Amino acid sequence: MTRTIATIGLTALLLAATPVLAAAPAAPAASTKADRDKRIADLVARYQAGSDRPPLPELEAMLAELARYGEFDAGLSQVYAYTLARAGQADKAIAIMDELIAVLAANGHAESRDMGDTLLARAVFQDVKGDAAAALETRYKAQALFIRVEGPQSGRAATIKAQIAGSLFGRGQLRDALIAYGEALPIMENDPDLLRVYAVQMSNYANALRLAGDLDGALVASRKAVALRDKLPAGHPAVLFAIHNLGTTLMDLGRYGEAEIVLRDGVDLARKLGGKQNVDTVGLSYRLAQVLARQGRTVEAEALLDNALAALEGVNTGVNPDLPGLIRLELAEVALANGERAEAAVHLDAGLTSLESVGANGDTTRARLRTRLAETRLLDGDYAGARDQVEQALTYYERDMPPAAPDRIRAAMLHALILARQGETAKALDEGQAVSAVMVASLDQGAARGRQAGLLQAYQVAFIRYADIAVTANRPDLAFAAAQRAAHSEIAATSQALAVRAASGNPQAAELSRRLQDAQVTRLRLDRERTFARSRAGTQAGQIEQIDRSITAVDSELAGIAADLDRVFPDFDQVSNPAPLAVKTVQASLARGHAVVMPLLSDDRVLTLVVTRKGLSWDAAPLDRFAAQNTIDTLRRDIDLGMLPTVDADNAAFDRQAAWRLGGAIFTPKIQAALKGTKELDVLGSGALMSLPLGLLLTQAPQGDDSDPQALRDSAWLIRAYAVSVKPALVSGKTAKAEANGFLGVGAPVLGAEDAGVDASGLFRGGNSIADAEAVRRLPSLPLAQGELERMRQALGLSNSSLITGADATETRIKQADLSGYSVIAFATHGLVSGNLETLREPALVLTPPDQPSEADDGLLTASDVAGLRLRARWVILSACNSGTGRDAGGSYSGLAKAFMQAGADSLLVSMWPVRDDAADRLSVETVRGHAKGLSQAEALRQAVLGLMADESVPGGANPAIWAPFSLVVR
């Protein structure tokens, strides 16, 4: 509303304080009040829409025109102040608000909504200036005013409480912020007039929940904020903020494919609205770089971060003053991943320097920088320097973050580890036990709410540190329990779930357990579909609404199943989330000649625990986790090179020094002595280690040339000494053995030419979740797959044997078939992982595509499809590329492997990288044949590998790239 007043002091202040940035348009000779009101309304609407915001000169001309008539408009003044703030002139914006406050008070509006709104705007500009303490004080004044004017339960009062929560959050007072958000947001949600500020504060709340460690709660809050996107102007800050937080939460949950597409969508929108040199564009680019780095794409990540840092030059970071520090932190992470420790320290120091003038608004980032700096100093052996840095970080964390917050947990356990390195073992153990108890309680609470997945990944490093502290304190029993928790993953949870089905002893409870898992898989699939439906590829009308309705229906189904389980199987929650097994329990369960091996990558050394029938042994070797990761990367690169068709297979080199560096660190002389008499190793590992079959590591230093086939054959590969299998978890229950006794072979789909390349980039079109059948059909055919499956059938000699191949090998056929009668199921086809994030949504097996693709059959049997199958198989053989790995589930042996275990498979033979057709044929068939003759699954695989390695007629057969692709996963 426009008000006429007796003074023009406000307008004079505005014009006198602001330099002319461009020639202002000439004011009309005369105008009517109705005309002025109309033009003011248009200016305010343009600012709120965001796509065509009026520039400063146009606003100044309107203000000057009002001054000639002795008028002013509070809304226009606020728009002008916001525009100044966006231009980096926060002091002038604050001055305008101070003048407006004085004008309102002088004209009898001291106790009005206009006064409250002006105070809130002033607080925003104080935040932009970097004066968080003053902003918080101003918001408290506004809150008191609105409570007097409208009452404590009014939407406005709730809004201010949410903004106070935002100020507290910005100052790092996370616990207080969460309480305030919890009180304010439910009131705001039901007031349509508060839609825009509600969207902003819901995104803030999601960010606070994420930092507190409640990743599932953060995802729910992020989804709520993003769901308001269509109701907000395209340029509204809440839209970009919601996208930012959703992408970040998905990243922290390990759902990298979804995170990448969400954040790319955000970067594109930010560039469209504000250009490349814009704080929103830079912030989203930083998060996108984080996602890329976590997928091992460090070159792309580093380039994006360097560009983001350069784009910040001369840009006002506004309410994100710690953004330069965050970018420096991520550049340090990339440097550490590349083995460049000195460069990482430079970035960390520069990050701290960038926060010197920020004050309390930089506390959270400052603490994270100090924690990482402490970690680098620990690696350098500077324990005193490391302790000083982490104690400074803990001063903040212990004051303002909940005990279970991942960042606080990481720093607290790091402090305990540093104490152990300094010889203060008893104190270190006490601290470690206290932090571990917090993590366990948080995980137990998360399991009860079905919200454990995100915390598993967040706490992994801390549990490894606790294991290290425990062995240093001569408490290997505690270390063994911590190692089990560190190895816990989604596939481990699935493995335990199968044991739960059997443990119930009640067919109804077992069926309910299975239905619960199926519904959880469906819920995750729908959530992913919703993410991709909102991607920049476009969304069909009503698609998201339909997905939301489906999610609501599944949530209702989940609640009903949970209630039935509570009635039929009251111990379900406890059995589903068991405590780690004791050493004696594992000893008693070991078969003769078996041992459990648990390698852990601690900060500055590799720690290995071994359990045999004689007891627990452990040892450590001085290989830090970044050096170990680089060694693993080196081995994977050599494998990739060895698989290139342009490489001479018989002369391809393999870096055996790297294999020895890692193998020697895990299988030290002490560990090898403890394994004397052992024939089979059950490996329980975590993280990067599980991206390699351990059989390709060396237990003795290599001799000869790395490209000499005979030298490669003569090397002391671990597979020569031991049969190796991977255990997802040490489960306390046992699944009832399947009574099925038949073989099913699936594969050899009808595809393109033999020499076609595998390219997932065109498998999907637009925003669809249905694959492009023609693109699937262009994938290369597999001429040996039919014979491979036939030879497996002959090797097993089971009466109930079937093949589904060629044109019959369709998704429809597999979904409709009764698979419960087969004890062995083999797939010989392409396995695709979600590496092309624009297209392939989840891991999948390629089958014969239909003429008319549909949701039910598009030629790709995805992980979600697999998880819905009903199997009773003793083992499933996935003779397909990359069937054992997958990024989206956040861990090794995920993706397809996890899905088949979900479906009911007891064990899996999976490939860890693309397998050459002839090698896949020989290894899978010979493994099946050996097992049929009475060998254990692991020993059968070992014999098949050694046979291929020794056969000089196999091109490249001496190279691990050819003989080591398969890994056996045994529950």
Side-chain angles (χ1 to χ4, degrees), residues 165-241:
S167 290
L168 293 169
F169 182 27
R171 290 170 58 81
Q173 296 171 240
L174 187 57
R175 283 181 289 195
D176 293 337
L178 287 171
I179 292 171
Y181 277 131
E183 294 171 349
L185 289 171
I187 298 173
M188 296 172 64
E189 185 174 12
N190 298 317
D191 190 338
D193 292 337
L194 301 176
L195 175 65
R196 298 184 184 202
V197 68
Y198 173 73
V200 172
Q201 296 303 335
M202 182 56 72
S203 287
N204 271 327
Y205 182 49
N207 198 18
L209 288 169
R210 182 180 63 80
L211 287 176
D214 186 358
L215 296 182
D216 294 278
L219 185 60
V220 171
S222 296
R223 293 288 192 205
K224 280 188 176 181
V226 170
L228 300 172
R229 177 177 182 174
D230 297 334
K231 300 178 182 178
L232 295 169
H236 195 278
V239 174
L240 291 174
F241 195 26

Side-chain angles (χ1 to χ4, degrees), residues 920-944:
D921 182 339
R922 176 158 177 171
L923 289 170
S924 59
V925 172
E926 291 304 314
T927 299
V928 167
R929 180 174 288 120
H931 184 52
K933 292 179 179 178
L935 297 176
S936 69
Q937 293 169 324
E939 181 61 23
L941 175 60
R942 173 176 174 270
Q943 294 291 346

Side-chain angles (χ1 to χ4, degrees), residues 595-599 608-611 666-667 671 675 681-685:
V596 171
V597 177
M598 306 173 74
T608 306
L609 306 178
V610 170
V611 179
I666 296 173
F667 296 96
I671 293 298
L675 291 173
L681 306 181
D682 300 327
V683 179
L684 181 67

Side-chain angles (χ1 to χ4, degrees), residues 315-601:
V315 174
N316 177 25
T317 55
V319 295
N320 300 298
D322 59 342
L323 186 53
L326 287 168
I327 295 174
R328 288 288 187 182
L329 176 61
E330 192 60 29
L331 280 167
E333 300 280 13
V334 171
L336 286 169
N338 292 334
E340 298 164 345
R341 196 180 302 163
E343 183 178 345
V346 169
H347 283 302
L348 293 170
D349 286 331
L352 287 171
T353 300
S354 73
L355 298 177
E356 287 178 354
S357 62
V358 171
N361 274 11
D363 278 351
T364 303
T365 301
R366 192 179 290 112
R368 293 177 66 194
L369 284 161
R370 291 198 183 283
T371 301
R372 297 303 185 277
L373 198 54
E375 291 170 346
T376 61
R377 292 185 177 173
L378 171 64
L379 297 179
D380 291 332
D382 180 8
Y383 303 139
R387 183 170 177 174
D388 175 63
Q389 290 295 331
V390 78
E391 285 178 349
Q392 290 186 65
L394 282 169
T395 299
Y396 158 68
Y397 285 139
E398 291 172 355
R399 183 190 72 221
D400 290 320
M401 274 206 169
D407 282 347
R408 177 172 172 177
I409 289 289
R410 181 174 182 139
M413 198 65 87
L414 174 64
H415 185 261
L417 181 64
I418 293 167
L419 290 177
R421 293 291 184 268
Q422 290 183 309
E424 299 181 46
T425 310
K427 186 177 180 181
L429 185 61
D430 287 344
E431 286 191 11
Q433 285 179 303
V435 177
S436 176
V438 172
M439 288 193 290
V440 171
S442 180
L443 287 170
D444 288 347
Q445 184 181 19
R449 294 180 300 164
R451 293 182 171 185
Q452 193 183 53
L455 291 175
L456 292 173
Q457 186 174 352
Y459 289 165
Q460 186 181 83
V461 169
F463 276 124
I464 292 174
R465 286 173 175 163
Y466 182 42
D468 196 330
I469 294 164
V471 294
T472 304
N474 198 30
R475 288 295 306 272
D477 56 324
L478 296 179
F480 185 60
Q484 290 177 68
R485 293 193 183 278
H488 203 67
S489 64
E490 289 189 25
I491 192 169
T494 299
S495 179
Q496 179 63 35
L498 292 178
V500 170
R501 293 184 206 167
S504 68
N506 180 330
Q508 184 183 2
E511 177 61 21
L512 283 170
S513 300
R514 174 60 198 253
R515 284 178 54 203
L516 180 69
Q517 289 179 273
D518 288 348
Q520 288 169 339
V521 169
T522 300
R523 180 64 168 79
L524 178 59
R525 176 181 59 77
L526 289 168
D527 199 50
R528 283 176 170 153
E529 285 184 11
R530 180 166 51 180
T531 299
F532 287 109
R534 284 198 174 274
S535 74
R536 66 175 181 270
T539 304
Q540 296 178 1
Q543 184 179 357
I544 295 173
E545 290 79 2
Q546 179 57 51
I547 293 172
D548 286 339
R549 286 193 292 272
S550 297
I551 287 175
T552 300
V554 173
D555 285 342
S556 176
E557 180 185 2
L558 281 167
I561 295 171
D564 289 342
L565 269 172
D566 285 341
R567 176 176 51 80
V568 176
F569 189 9
D571 294 332
F572 176 80
D573 285 340
Q574 181 179 352
V575 178
S576 298
N577 186 43
L581 299 186
V583 174
K584 289 184 178 180
T585 302
V586 176
Q587 278 182 265
S589 68
L590 285 173
R592 186 177 299 277
H594 280 244
V596 171
V597 177
M598 306 173 74
L600 302 169
L601 302 184

